[in-house]
Amino acid sequence: VGWLAKSVFVDRVIRVKTTPLGIGIAALFVAMFIATVFSSDMISSLLGFYGRFSGGFVEFVLWLLFYALIVNNFSYFSAKRLIVPLFLCASLLAIIFHLAWLGVLAQIPFLAASVMTPLGISPQLLGVFEALILSLLVMYSTLYAPKKWIPFLGAAFVLILSTVMVINFYGSWLILLGSLIPFLIWALGRHAL
């Protein structure tokens, strides 16, 4: 709403940026729209599965709006400024996970009934998220990080890696291998040239 209001009242024109993904996303939108219209259970197709309300056409449209918001409001340079807060959030999740795993959070009365991971997500999902962030952290530290950030990034690396190791979900390890091995090959090839 803020983006549309700024476009209409401040810029006085609505500009929609396109990306190479646009054609694929438009084709997926058309396919989902047709599948929803001709579905035998239209309510379930529109809103999602019963009791969970996910996986429906409405959720897909909301994800498309979120994608459009990001594409139209963030450039590469402004997104680069979000890297460090992303590492901070992932580190905070790792700290909360370790406090819960060690039983420290169970000693606090209003947190005694809380689940093992932050925000109630499954440990496997947290492991996948932390593995993705760990891959990004290694690549960012290697290529772009200023020297003064290395101690902070090193502490974040240890926290996040320890979370991945404690959860020990095979999907997390596949993500790390699938992202860091090609990066290592690219870095070695670049260094050799």
Side-chain angles (χ1 to χ4, degrees), residues 32 39 41-60:
M32 285 199 65
S39 173
D41 187 3
M42 189 172 214
I43 293 174
S44 186
S45 295
L46 194 63
L47 298 176
F49 302 112
Y50 297 109
R52 290 189 346 182
F53 297 107
S54 63
F57 185 71
V58 171
E59 180 189 12
F60 179 72

Side-chain angles (χ1 to χ4, degrees), residues 71-128:
V71 166
N72 287 291
N73 287 298
F74 291 105
S75 65
Y76 167 74
F77 297 104
S78 61
K80 219 169 120 174
R81 287 184 288 182
L82 297 175
I83 293 286
V84 172
L86 181 66
F87 295 152
L88 281 172
C89 291
S91 299
L92 181 63
L93 281 174
I95 290 169
I96 293 171
F97 172 77
H98 285 297
L99 290 175
W101 182 60
L102 294 171
V104 175
L105 293 183
Q107 304 303 320
I108 302 171
F110 61 91
L111 293 176
S114 66
V115 292
M116 182 66 154
T117 62
L119 308 176
I121 59 178
S122 71
Q124 291 83 9
L125 186 57
L126 179 66
V128 166

Side-chain angles (χ1 to χ4, degrees), residues 14 40 65 123 125 129 131 136 139-140 158 176:
I14 297 176
S40 59
L65 290 174
L125 186 57
F129 172 74
L136 184 62
M139 291 177 202
Y140 180 77
V158 169
L176 285 173

